[in-house]
PDB file of all heavy atoms in Angstrom:
ATOM      1  N   GLY A 810     -86.483 -11.803-167.527  1.00 90.00           N
ATOM      2  CA  GLY A 810     -85.800 -10.521-167.420  1.00 90.00           C
ATOM      3  C   GLY A 810     -86.737  -9.324-167.562  1.00 90.00           C
ATOM      4  O   GLY A 810     -87.934  -9.450-167.296  1.00 90.00           O
ATOM      5  N   PRO A 811     -86.215  -8.159-167.996  1.00 92.00           N
ATOM      6  CA  PRO A 811     -87.052  -6.953-168.098  1.00 92.00           C
ATOM      7  C   PRO A 811     -88.210  -7.156-169.079  1.00 92.00           C
ATOM      8  O   PRO A 811     -88.019  -7.668-170.172  1.00 92.00           O
ATOM      9  CB  PRO A 811     -86.094  -5.882-168.619  1.00 92.00           C
ATOM     10  CG  PRO A 811     -84.745  -6.395-168.366  1.00 92.00           C
ATOM     11  CD  PRO A 811     -84.826  -7.880-168.359  1.00 92.00           C
ATOM     12  N   SER A 812     -89.393  -6.776-168.649  1.00 92.00           N
ATOM     13  CA  SER A 812     -90.583  -6.996-169.467  1.00 92.00           C
ATOM     14  C   SER A 812     -91.651  -5.972-169.143  1.00 92.00           C
ATOM     15  O   SER A 812     -91.570  -5.260-168.143  1.00 92.00           O
ATOM     16  CB  SER A 812     -91.126  -8.402-169.198  1.00 92.00           C
ATOM     17  OG  SER A 812     -92.351  -8.586-169.864  1.00 92.00           O
ATOM     18  N   ARG A 813     -92.670  -5.905-169.993  1.00 93.00           N
ATOM     19  CA  ARG A 813     -93.813  -5.056-169.710  1.00 93.00           C
ATOM     20  C   ARG A 813     -94.832  -5.847-168.899  1.00 93.00           C
ATOM     21  O   ARG A 813     -94.756  -7.061-168.814  1.00 93.00           O
ATOM     22  CB  ARG A 813     -94.435  -4.567-171.022  1.00 93.00           C
ATOM     23  CG  ARG A 813     -93.532  -3.546-171.721  1.00 93.00           C
ATOM     24  CD  ARG A 813     -94.086  -3.117-173.048  1.00 93.00           C
ATOM     25  NE  ARG A 813     -94.091  -4.252-173.962  1.00 93.00           N
ATOM     26  CZ  ARG A 813     -95.069  -4.507-174.832  1.00 93.00           C
ATOM     27  NH1 ARG A 813     -96.124  -3.734-174.903  1.00 93.00           N
ATOM     28  NH2 ARG A 813     -95.001  -5.548-175.630  1.00 93.00           N
ATOM     29  N   ILE A 814     -95.805  -5.152-168.329  1.00 92.00           N
ATOM     30  CA  ILE A 814     -96.801  -5.788-167.469  1.00 92.00           C
ATOM     31  C   ILE A 814     -98.158  -5.773-168.153  1.00 92.00           C
ATOM     32  O   ILE A 814     -98.564  -4.771-168.722  1.00 92.00           O
ATOM     33  CB  ILE A 814     -96.914  -5.056-166.111  1.00 92.00           C
ATOM     34  CG1 ILE A 814     -95.569  -4.983-165.419  1.00 92.00           C
ATOM     35  CG2 ILE A 814     -97.944  -5.725-165.214  1.00 92.00           C
ATOM     36  CD1 ILE A 814     -95.557  -4.099-164.196  1.00 92.00           C
ATOM     37  N   GLY A 815     -98.845  -6.917-168.060  1.00 93.00           N
ATOM     38  CA  GLY A 815    -100.212  -7.015-168.529  1.00 93.00           C
ATOM     39  C   GLY A 815    -101.076  -7.501-167.381  1.00 93.00           C
ATOM     40  O   GLY A 815    -100.589  -7.800-166.295  1.00 93.00           O
ATOM     41  N   TYR A 816    -102.360  -7.592-167.628  1.00 93.00           N
ATOM     42  CA  TYR A 816    -103.294  -8.076-166.609  1.00 93.00           C
ATOM     43  C   TYR A 816    -104.075  -9.256-167.139  1.00 93.00           C
ATOM     44  O   TYR A 816    -104.334  -9.357-168.334  1.00 93.00           O
ATOM     45  CB  TYR A 816    -104.265  -6.966-166.191  1.00 93.00           C
ATOM     46  CG  TYR A 816    -103.630  -5.875-165.380  1.00 93.00           C
ATOM     47  CD1 TYR A 816    -103.332  -4.648-165.943  1.00 93.00           C
ATOM     48  CD2 TYR A 816    -103.303  -6.077-164.046  1.00 93.00           C
ATOM     49  CE1 TYR A 816    -102.744  -3.644-165.208  1.00 93.00           C
ATOM     50  CE2 TYR A 816    -102.708  -5.069-163.295  1.00 93.00           C
ATOM     51  CZ  TYR A 816    -102.446  -3.865-163.880  1.00 93.00           C
ATOM     52  OH  TYR A 816    -101.848  -2.874-163.135  1.00 93.00           O
ATOM     53  N   LYS A 817    -104.452 -10.132-166.225  1.00 93.00           N
ATOM     54  CA  LYS A 817    -105.255 -11.311-166.568  1.00 93.00           C
ATOM     55  C   LYS A 817    -106.377 -11.394-165.552  1.00 93.00           C
ATOM     56  O   LYS A 817    -106.130 -11.323-164.344  1.00 93.00           O
ATOM     57  CB  LYS A 817    -104.375 -12.560-166.505  1.00 93.00           C
ATOM     58  CG  LYS A 817    -104.995 -13.797-167.092  1.00 93.00           C
ATOM     59  CD  LYS A 817    -103.986 -14.926-167.037  1.00 93.00           C
ATOM     60  CE  LYS A 817    -104.432 -16.108-167.845  1.00 93.00           C
ATOM     61  NZ  LYS A 817    -103.441 -17.179-167.814  1.00 93.00           N
ATOM     62  N   LEU A 818    -107.603 -11.528-166.032  1.00 92.00           N
ATOM     63  CA  LEU A 818    -108.750 -11.660-165.143  1.00 92.00           C
ATOM     64  C   LEU A 818    -109.109 -13.128-164.992  1.00 92.00           C
ATOM     65  O   LEU A 818    -109.351 -13.821-165.979  1.00 92.00           O
ATOM     66  CB  LEU A 818    -109.953 -10.893-165.702  1.00 92.00           C
ATOM     67  CG  LEU A 818    -109.847  -9.371-165.668  1.00 92.00           C
ATOM     68  CD1 LEU A 818    -110.938  -8.748-166.500  1.00 92.00           C
ATOM     69  CD2 LEU A 818    -109.909  -8.865-164.252  1.00 92.00           C
ATOM     70  N   GLU A 819    -109.099 -13.584-163.744  1.00 88.00           N
ATOM     71  CA  GLU A 819    -109.495 -14.959-163.451  1.00 88.00           C
ATOM     72  C   GLU A 819    -110.652 -14.885-162.473  1.00 88.00           C
ATOM     73  O   GLU A 819    -110.444 -14.683-161.274  1.00 88.00           O
ATOM     74  CB  GLU A 819    -108.321 -15.740-162.853  1.00 88.00           C
ATOM     75  CG  GLU A 819    -107.185 -15.950-163.829  1.00 88.00           C
ATOM     76  CD  GLU A 819    -105.904 -16.395-163.150  1.00 88.00           C
ATOM     77  OE1 GLU A 819    -105.888 -16.507-161.918  1.00 88.00           O
ATOM     78  OE2 GLU A 819    -104.920 -16.609-163.872  1.00 88.00           O
ATOM     79  N   GLY A 820    -111.855 -15.013-162.971  1.00 89.00           N
ATOM     80  CA  GLY A 820    -113.032 -14.846-162.112  1.00 89.00           C
ATOM     81  C   GLY A 820    -113.125 -13.399-161.680  1.00 89.00           C
ATOM     82  O   GLY A 820    -113.268 -12.505-162.499  1.00 89.00           O
ATOM     83  N   LYS A 821    -113.015 -13.167-160.370  1.00 90.00           N
ATOM     84  CA  LYS A 821    -113.068 -11.804-159.857  1.00 90.00           C
ATOM     85  C   LYS A 821    -111.697 -11.256-159.472  1.00 90.00           C
ATOM     86  O   LYS A 821    -111.588 -10.130-159.017  1.00 90.00           O
ATOM     87  CB  LYS A 821    -114.012 -11.739-158.646  1.00 90.00           C
ATOM     88  CG  LYS A 821    -115.453 -11.966-159.020  1.00 90.00           C
ATOM     89  CD  LYS A 821    -116.374 -11.655-157.884  1.00 90.00           C
ATOM     90  CE  LYS A 821    -117.804 -11.866-158.344  1.00 90.00           C
ATOM     91  NZ  LYS A 821    -118.758 -11.239-157.466  1.00 90.00           N
ATOM     92  N   THR A 822    -110.646 -12.073-159.677  1.00 93.00           N
ATOM     93  CA  THR A 822    -109.307 -11.614-159.317  1.00 93.00           C
ATOM     94  C   THR A 822    -108.557 -11.128-160.545  1.00 93.00           C
ATOM     95  O   THR A 822    -108.608 -11.734-161.617  1.00 93.00           O
ATOM     96  CB  THR A 822    -108.486 -12.727-158.636  1.00 93.00           C
ATOM     97  OG1 THR A 822    -108.393 -13.849-159.529  1.00 93.00           O
ATOM     98  CG2 THR A 822    -109.110 -13.152-157.330  1.00 93.00           C
ATOM     99  N   LYS A 823    -107.850 -10.013-160.385  1.00 92.00           N
ATOM    100  CA  LYS A 823    -107.063  -9.419-161.450  1.00 92.00           C
ATOM    101  C   LYS A 823    -105.596  -9.582-161.070  1.00 92.00           C
ATOM    102  O   LYS A 823    -105.165  -9.095-160.028  1.00 92.00           O
ATOM    103  CB  LYS A 823    -107.428  -7.941-161.566  1.00 92.00           C
ATOM    104  CG  LYS A 823    -106.796  -7.208-162.706  1.00 92.00           C
ATOM    105  CD  LYS A 823    -107.323  -5.776-162.693  1.00 92.00           C
ATOM    106  CE  LYS A 823    -106.744  -4.969-163.807  1.00 92.00           C
ATOM    107  NZ  LYS A 823    -107.229  -3.584-163.774  1.00 92.00           N
ATOM    108  N   THR A 824    -104.826 -10.317-161.880  1.00 93.00           N
ATOM    109  CA  THR A 824    -103.419 -10.541-161.566  1.00 93.00           C
ATOM    110  C   THR A 824    -102.524  -9.919-162.630  1.00 93.00           C
ATOM    111  O   THR A 824    -102.881  -9.876-163.802  1.00 93.00           O
ATOM    112  CB  THR A 824    -103.094 -12.049-161.449  1.00 93.00           C
ATOM    113  OG1 THR A 824    -103.497 -12.696-162.653  1.00 93.00           O
ATOM    114  CG2 THR A 824    -103.801 -12.686-160.286  1.00 93.00           C
ATOM    115  N   ARG A 825    -101.339  -9.465-162.192  1.00 92.00           N
ATOM    116  CA  ARG A 825    -100.365  -8.904-163.135  1.00 92.00           C
ATOM    117  C   ARG A 825     -99.571 -10.044-163.755  1.00 92.00           C
ATOM    118  O   ARG A 825     -99.167 -10.969-163.067  1.00 92.00           O
ATOM    119  CB  ARG A 825     -99.412  -7.959-162.409  1.00 92.00           C
ATOM    120  CG  ARG A 825    -100.097  -6.774-161.796  1.00 92.00           C
ATOM    121  CD  ARG A 825     -99.121  -5.800-161.194  1.00 92.00           C
ATOM    122  NE  ARG A 825     -98.212  -6.430-160.243  1.00 92.00           N
ATOM    123  CZ  ARG A 825     -97.046  -5.918-159.861  1.00 92.00           C
ATOM    124  NH1 ARG A 825     -96.637  -4.784-160.327  1.00 92.00           N
ATOM    125  NH2 ARG A 825     -96.289  -6.550-158.994  1.00 92.00           N
ATOM    126  N   ILE A 826     -99.359  -9.973-165.065  1.00 93.00           N
ATOM    127  CA  ILE A 826     -98.588 -11.000-165.773  1.00 93.00           C
ATOM    128  C   ILE A 826     -97.488 -10.358-166.611  1.00 93.00           C
ATOM    129  O   ILE A 826     -97.575  -9.185-166.971  1.00 93.00           O
ATOM    130  CB  ILE A 826     -99.471 -11.903-166.661  1.00 93.00           C
ATOM    131  CG1 ILE A 826    -100.190 -11.074-167.734  1.00 93.00           C
ATOM    132  CG2 ILE A 826    -100.442 -12.712-165.854  1.00 93.00           C
ATOM    133  CD1 ILE A 826    -100.691 -11.878-168.901  1.00 93.00           C
ATOM    134  N   CYS A 827     -96.471 -11.138-166.906  1.00 92.00           N
ATOM    135  CA  CYS A 827     -95.379 -10.729-167.786  1.00 92.00           C
ATOM    136  C   CYS A 827     -95.875 -10.806-169.228  1.00 92.00           C
ATOM    137  O   CYS A 827     -96.488 -11.792-169.621  1.00 92.00           O
ATOM    138  CB  CYS A 827     -94.197 -11.681-167.572  1.00 92.00           C
ATOM    139  SG  CYS A 827     -92.890 -11.485-168.769  1.00 92.00           S
ATOM    140  N   LYS A 828     -95.603  -9.766-170.022  1.00 91.00           N
ATOM    141  CA  LYS A 828     -96.063  -9.761-171.419  1.00 91.00           C
ATOM    142  C   LYS A 828     -95.254 -10.705-172.299  1.00 91.00           C
ATOM    143  O   LYS A 828     -95.737 -11.160-173.323  1.00 91.00           O
ATOM    144  CB  LYS A 828     -95.955  -8.330-171.979  1.00 91.00           C
ATOM    145  CG  LYS A 828     -97.041  -7.403-171.514  1.00 91.00           C
ATOM    146  CD  LYS A 828     -98.255  -7.512-172.386  1.00 91.00           C
ATOM    147  CE  LYS A 828     -99.188  -6.363-172.129  1.00 91.00           C
ATOM    148  NZ  LYS A 828    -100.248  -6.292-173.111  1.00 91.00           N
ATOM    149  N   LYS A 829     -94.012 -11.032-171.894  1.00 90.00           N
ATOM    150  CA  LYS A 829     -93.174 -11.916-172.701  1.00 90.00           C
ATOM    151  C   LYS A 829     -93.552 -13.381-172.540  1.00 90.00           C
ATOM    152  O   LYS A 829     -93.768 -14.098-173.500  1.00 90.00           O
ATOM    153  CB  LYS A 829     -91.697 -11.741-172.337  1.00 90.00           C
ATOM    154  CG  LYS A 829     -91.035 -10.528-172.934  1.00 90.00           C
ATOM    155  CD  LYS A 829     -89.552 -10.547-172.592  1.00 90.00           C
ATOM    156  CE  LYS A 829     -88.866  -9.281-173.034  1.00 90.00           C
ATOM    157  NZ  LYS A 829     -87.466  -9.246-172.587  1.00 90.00           N
ATOM    158  N   CYS A 830     -93.591 -13.839-171.257  1.00 89.00           N
ATOM    159  CA  CYS A 830     -93.785 -15.275-171.021  1.00 89.00           C
ATOM    160  C   CYS A 830     -95.157 -15.623-170.445  1.00 89.00           C
ATOM    161  O   CYS A 830     -95.518 -16.788-170.373  1.00 89.00           O
ATOM    162  CB  CYS A 830     -92.692 -15.821-170.098  1.00 89.00           C
ATOM    163  SG  CYS A 830     -92.700 -15.109-168.449  1.00 89.00           S
ATOM    164  N   GLY A 831     -95.919 -14.618-169.997  1.00 86.00           N
ATOM    165  CA  GLY A 831     -97.256 -14.858-169.472  1.00 86.00           C
ATOM    166  C   GLY A 831     -97.294 -15.326-168.029  1.00 86.00           C
ATOM    167  O   GLY A 831     -98.356 -15.666-167.522  1.00 86.00           O
TER     168      GLY A 831
END
Side-chain angles (χ1 to χ4, degrees):
S812 174
R813 289 177 294 141
I814 304 171
Y816 289 104
K817 191 177 191 179
L818 290 168
E819 294 165 358
K821 292 190 178 197
T822 59
K823 185 178 180 181
T824 55
R825 298 185 306 160
I826 60 160
C827 170
K828 284 274 194 169
K829 281 185 186 175
C830 63

